[in-house]
Amino acid sequence: QVQLVESGGGSVQAPGSLTLSCTASEFTRCSMGWFRQAPGQQREGVATIDGSGATSYSTSVQGRFTLSRDSATKTLYLQMNSLKPEDTAVYYCAAKGWRRGLCTNDFAYWGQGTQVTVSS
C-alpha cells in the first residue's frame, strides 16, 4: 500500500506560481500524476509521468505546468506558472499500482488533496 502526501497548495493571485509536492511512502516505478477537481465539476487529469520520465499534460495546462519526479526522494513535483483563476481546484496526487510484476492500468493510490486557489 503506497501512501501519498501532498503539500504546497495555497492561495495566489494570477498570474502567480506555486509548486506542489507529493511524497510517496515507498518507491514506485509506475506512472504517477496530478489530477484536480473544481467545485461542481468532475475530476480531471492534469499531468502524468511514467517510469521512464515521459510526461503528458492536459491541453489546459500545457506550457504552463511542469511535472517532474525525484526517485531518490520518492517525490513528485508540479511546478505551476502563469496560474489562472480557472486553475482553482483541489489537486490530487496519484500513483498506479504494482501487481504481479506489472503496473496496473488504473491509478490505485491517491493522496488526500491540496487546495489551490487563484484569484484574479
Side-chain angles (χ1 to χ4, degrees):
Q1 186 83 6
V2 178
Q3 295 181 333
L4 304 172
V5 179
E6 301 114 330
S7 62
S11 297
V12 65
Q13 194 169 15
S17 299
L18 283 173
T19 300
L20 303 184
S21 300
C22 170
T23 300
S25 60
E26 58 187 76
F27 171 78
T28 176
R29 68 189 68 191
C30 301
S31 295
M32 297 183 71
W34 287 93
F35 296 76
R36 67 186 181 186
Q37 187 167 21
Q41 298 190 20
Q42 289 188 330
R43 187 170 58 196
E44 63 172 353
V46 174
T48 60
I49 184 167
D50 67 16
S52 70
T55 55
S56 65
Y57 300 89
S58 68
T59 54
S60 62
V61 307
Q62 182 77 45
R64 300 188 297 123
F65 291 10
T66 302
L67 183 64
S68 61
R69 72 194 293 178
D70 184 335
S71 297
T73 61
K74 298 171 289 185
T75 302
L76 183 72
Y77 299 99
L78 183 67
Q79 174 67 45
M80 306 185 294
N81 297 326
S82 301
L83 283 162
K84 305 174 182 179
E86 50 263 45
D87 294 317
T88 296
V90 177
Y91 283 70
Y92 297 91
C93 174
K96 291 191 175 182
W98 177 257
R99 295 196 191 103
R100 299 177 183 174
L102 293 172
C103 296
T104 59
N105 290 327
D106 63 315
F107 284 87
Y109 306 112
W110 293 83
Q112 79 286 356
T114 185
Q115 176 70 46
V116 171
T117 302
V118 185
S119 59
S120 58

